[in-house]
Amino acid sequence: VAMSKTMEDSIKRWTAKRKTALVIEIIQGKTTVSEASRSFDLTPSEIEGWVDDAKQGMENSLRANPLDIREQYEKQLRELQEAYGEAMLELRARKKLQALLDAQDGN
């Protein structure tokens, strides 16, 4: 039980901010994966995973060329159009239902 509690605590402590700081130190050569692994009681593969994720994230944020932006815009537009279409269908269905109810009241 004590072991899992300690592990939970250490997982909670590794916020995105802390992971970023460690990854930057590794990239700058201020520490190594094996040093960090020993210091923080983490597995080297865990730290390497963070480094890979960070590199991928940087690449994605630097990649934003006009094509990507246009694709994102068009995707958002499609999603909005779908949502709007669904809302209009629902509105029409409600109006039809109301008309039916009104017609029944009239009888």
Side-chain angles (χ1 to χ4, degrees):
V1 177
M3 175 66 183
S4 65
K5 179 84 183 94
T6 316
M7 279 177 71
E8 275 173 35
D9 288 347
S10 67
I11 289 166
K12 278 179 200 151
R13 278 203 306 270
W14 283 102
T15 58
K17 214 171 225 171
R18 278 197 64 197
K19 289 178 187 178
T20 304
L22 178 59
V23 167
I24 289 169
E25 286 194 353
I26 291 167
I27 289 170
Q28 290 176 338
K30 291 180 182 173
T31 188
T32 64
V33 170
S34 55
E35 278 173 6
S37 162
R38 282 193 301 275
S39 305
F40 301 113
D41 196 25
L42 297 161
T43 65
S45 63
E46 201 172 2
I47 299 170
E48 280 160 9
W50 296 348
V51 174
D52 290 342
D53 288 344
K55 284 177 181 170
Q56 219 172 350
M58 280 194 284
E59 201 177 303
N60 285 339
S61 67
L62 294 171
R63 185 185 286 140
N65 62 38
L67 185 69
D68 288 342
I69 292 165
R70 203 177 114 201
E71 275 174 15
Q72 283 172 352
Y73 171 77
E74 285 172 355
K75 182 173 176 268
Q76 285 173 338
L77 195 60
R78 273 195 310 275
E79 285 169 1
L80 283 172
Q81 284 169 337
E82 282 168 20
Y84 175 76
E86 283 168 18
M88 289 308 292
L89 284 172
E90 194 179 326
L91 199 61
R92 275 192 215 131
R94 280 189 191 166
K95 281 184 181 170
K96 272 186 187 164
L97 179 64
Q98 194 56 56
L100 284 169
L101 294 172
D102 291 347
Q104 277 181 339
D105 287 347
N107 285 346

